Amino acid sequence: MEKLAIEGGEPVRKKPLPAEADSIGDEEISMVLEALKDKRLRRSAVADEYEAALAKYFGVKHALAVANGTVSMHAILAALDLGPGDEVITTPYTFVATASVVLMQNAIPIFADIDPDYLTIDPEDVERKISERTKGIIPVSITGQPPDMGSTMEVAEHNHLWVMEDAAQSPGATYKDRLIGTFGVASSFSTISGKIIATGEGGFILTDDDDLYERIWSYHNFARKRELGWASKYFWGIPCTNYRLTEIQSAIGLAQLRKLDQFLEIRSRNAEYLTRGIKDIEGIEPPKEPPWGKRVYYYYVIKLDLGKLGASLLEFAKALSTEGVYDYHYTTTTRVPVPCHLQEMFTKKVGYGKTKCPYECQYYGKTVEYKKGQHPNAERACKDVLWLLEPHPLMMKEDLDDVINALEKVARTFTRRQSSSN
Ligand SMILES: Cc1ncc(COP(=O)(O)O)c(C=O)c1O
C-alpha cells in the first residue's frame, strides 16, 4: 500500500495549490484608475452605477453598496426596528456575523437546526422555535447552497415574520429559478476577498421595499436623507452610523459583477469535475444538489464517513494537507469547527458592557440557554463536513486532478486500515 505523506511517503503534490486569490483583471484595474482620476473617493457616481447594475442583475428595485457583509445585515435589522426583547431565528451552521448582528440590536438569536443533506436551515425546526417574541428569520445560503425558501417563506408568512436572507456566499444561486436574495424584505451579500465577487471588503443590500430602503440608506449614512444628499448633513433624527462603501471598491465591484456569470460557470465546472472524480471513493461523499434550486459554488465541501475512515475530521484534514492539497491553515481547526450555539459567546451569554444584556434584560423576561445536543444536525456537520476548497477560476484541471488523487489515496488508506482492524 502506498505510504501517506504524513507518515513519510511522497506527497501527491509538491507545489501549493493556486491560492484563494481574487480574480482581478484588466477591467478592475482600469475602472479603479478611472475612479482615482475622478478624485472623489467617497461614495458618489461609481457607487450609484454599481448599485444600478446590482439592482438590474437581481431584478430588484433597490441595491445599496455598503462597507461589508456584516454591517449590511446590521443596517437592515436596525431599519426593521429590531430591538431589546425581540428574537430572531437563524441557523447555527453559519459564520458568526449572522448571529452577532442580532445581538448588535440587543435582540436574541434563537437557533433552528439544519437539513443534514444541504446544511441550510430546516423550516420545520424554524416553526418549532417560533415564540411570541419572534420577529424574523435569517436563512443563510451556506457554501452557496440555496435554502428551502418556499417553506421558509410559508412559515414566515403564516406567522407574520419578516425574512432577511444572508446570501453572503451565494450570488447567482436560485430557488425554483428565482435568484436567492430576492425573497423576504431584504437580503445581504458580502464581497470580502475570497467571495464569489470580491472588492477587498464590501457588501450590498437588496430590497423591493421603498420605505425600508430609505430607512436603511439613512441609517448607513449618518441619518441623512437620500433625496437631500449632503445637504442634510448635520441633522440626526435617528440613531445612525457610517457603513458606506468607497468609490474604489464600487469600481471593483462593478467590474466583478460584469463577470459574475462567468465566475459562476467556471466554479460550477470545477465543482462538477471534482464530483465526477471523487463520487466513487469510499468514505467520502461529494456535495449534494438541492431538489428545489440551483446552487453556486462558493465552497466545495465533502462529507466524511468517519466510521468507515476510522479518523476524525482533523486527522483527515492533516493527512490531506501533507499530501499538498489542503490549506494547512485549517489543520489545527477546520472551517466551521463549532456551531454558533456552542461558541462561548453564546454558552457563556457574554453581553454588552460586561453585563448579560441582552439575555437578562427587563424587556426580554425569558431565559434562553445554548447547549450541546440542541441542534444535532449542525453539531454533526461540524464533525464530518470538510470545507475542502474554493473551486475558484484560478484552479486548473491539473490542480483538481491532484486534489482527486490525494483524496483517493488518503481515503483508501484510511478505509483499508479501518476495515482490517475490525
Ligand atoms: C454567511 C456569511 N455571513 C456574513 C458574512 C460577513 O461578511 P463580511 O466578512 O463581509 O462582513 C460572511 C463572510 O465573511 C459569511 O460567510
Side-chain angles (χ1 to χ4, degrees), residues 256-296:
Q256 291 265 294
L257 181 64
R258 290 179 183 155
K259 294 191 260 184
L260 173 57
D261 288 341
Q262 187 192 330
F263 290 159
L264 293 173
E265 201 187 309
I266 299 171
R267 282 173 178 261
S268 290
R269 208 186 309 137
N270 285 346
E272 281 154 20
Y273 188 80
L274 277 173
T275 296
R276 275 197 303 281
I278 69 167
K279 69 181 185 340
D280 297 323
I281 301 177
E282 221 189 324
I284 64 176
E285 206 184 286
K288 292 202 167 99
E289 292 285 340
W292 50 71
K294 195 159 165 36
R295 60 160 303 156
V296 292

Side-chain angles (χ1 to χ4, degrees), residues 339-367:
C340 275
H341 67 286
L342 299 181
Q343 297 283 354
E344 274 193 7
M345 65 185 274
F346 290 109
T347 53
K348 295 195 170 162
K349 292 197 253 183
V350 180
Y352 285 105
K354 299 208 170 106
T355 70
K356 288 217 184 286
C357 288
Y359 305 101
E360 287 166 23
C361 156
Q362 56 168 323
Y363 293 104
Y364 191 44
K366 278 175 72 179
T367 307

Side-chain angles (χ1 to χ4, degrees), residues 89-116:
I89 302 176
T90 191
T91 161
Y93 195 73
T94 184
F95 186 62
V96 61
T98 322
S100 65
V101 290
V102 175
L103 292 174
M104 283 164 77
Q105 281 302 106
N106 273 297
I108 309 281
I110 299 290
F111 297 104
D113 207 358
I114 56 168
D115 179 310

Side-chain angles (χ1 to χ4, degrees), residues 91-286:
T91 161
Y93 195 73
T94 184
F95 186 62
V96 61
T98 322
S100 65
V101 290
V102 175
L103 292 174
M104 283 164 77
Q105 281 302 106
N106 273 297
I108 309 281
I110 299 290
F111 297 104
D113 207 358
I114 56 168
D115 179 310
D117 287 330
Y118 308 109
L119 311 175
T120 50
I121 200 161
D122 171 4
E124 283 180 20
D125 203 36
V126 170
E127 188 135 43
R128 285 191 282 274
K129 298 290 157 38
I130 293 172
S131 79
E132 70 292 349
R133 299 214 160 265
T134 312
K135 290 288 183 292
I137 308 169
I138 312 180
V140 181
S141 13
I142 200 80
T143 76
Q145 190 77 263
D148 178 352
M149 289 311 296
S151 310
T152 305
M153 294 305 293
E154 248 175 56
V155 170
E157 276 156 27
H158 191 239
N159 293 280
H160 312 290
L161 307 175
W162 49 251
V163 169
M164 174 188 81
E165 292 174 80
D166 179 355
Q169 304 187 356
S170 64
T174 53
Y175 172 86
K176 292 195 176 157
D177 292 333
R178 180 167 159 191
L179 281 167
I180 287 297
T182 65
F183 295 82
V185 285
S187 63
S188 160
F189 290 78
S190 165
T191 59
I192 190 178
S193 277
K195 288 285 191 285
I196 297 179
I197 54 176
T199 59
E201 294 282 355
F204 58 89
I205 294 166
L206 305 178
T207 183
D208 274 326
D209 183 322
D210 298 337
D211 179 54
L212 185 64
Y213 169 62
E214 296 301 344
R215 286 193 290 145
I216 296 170
W217 200 98
S218 187
Y219 182 79
H220 107 294
N221 196 355
F222 288 130
R224 290 175 182 128
K225 297 228 179 319
R226 198 174 53 89
E227 71 277 12
L228 298 178
W230 300 108
S232 53
K233 203 165 177 177
Y234 292 103
F235 300 96
W236 304 294
I238 52 164
C240 53
T241 186
N242 168 9
Y243 286 164
R244 297 183 304 252
L245 196 71
T246 67
E247 290 289 88
I248 305 293
Q249 292 161 308
S250 295
I252 302 171
L254 191 52
Q256 291 265 294
L257 181 64
R258 290 179 183 155
K259 294 191 260 184
L260 173 57
D261 288 341
Q262 187 192 330
F263 290 159
L264 293 173
E265 201 187 309
I266 299 171
R267 282 173 178 261
S268 290
R269 208 186 309 137
N270 285 346
E272 281 154 20
Y273 188 80
L274 277 173
T275 296
R276 275 197 303 281
I278 69 167
K279 69 181 185 340
D280 297 323
I281 301 177
E282 221 189 324
I284 64 176
E285 206 184 286

Side-chain angles (χ1 to χ4, degrees), residues 307-319:
K308 268 197 186 145
L309 293 165
S312 70
L313 188 63
L314 223 47
E315 284 162 343
F316 192 86
K318 275 186 192 150

